[in-house]
Amino acid sequence: MIFPLENLVKFNGNVYEISVAASRRAYQMSMIKDPLIDENDGKVVSLAAKQLFNKDVQYRIEKQ
């Protein structure tokens, strides 16, 4: 699977936020060695982005 570029183009929110969320989600998945990574040919960032765009995983911004 490639990065879901169509979803990114259609995204109405802050692109920087979704990019950071995808990066953090990809890091989480690689640290726990999620079996979905192998099913996606090792492409962690595209898998994380797909999860965010499909709302399988949600993110929020924490205020400090």
Side-chain angles (χ1 to χ4, degrees), residues 1-4 7 21-23 25-27 29-30 33-57:
M1 178 177 126
I2 58 173
F3 191 83
N7 294 351
S23 173
R25 177 63 181 150
Y27 177 75
M29 294 174 73
S30 65
K33 296 179 178 33
D34 194 320
L36 292 174
I37 295 171
D38 292 332
E39 294 174 17
N40 197 40
D41 297 326
K43 297 178 182 174
V44 185
V45 176
S46 63
L47 180 60
K50 180 183 174 191
Q51 288 180 342
L52 289 166
F53 286 125
N54 291 339
K55 297 185 180 176
D56 295 331
V57 174

Side-chain angles (χ1 to χ4, degrees), residues 3 8 15 22 24 33 38-39 42 50 59-62:
F3 191 83
L8 186 60
V15 176
R24 288 186 173 222
K33 296 179 178 33
D38 292 332
E39 294 174 17
K50 180 183 174 191
Y59 68 94
R60 70 175 185 270
I61 304 203
E62 294 182 358

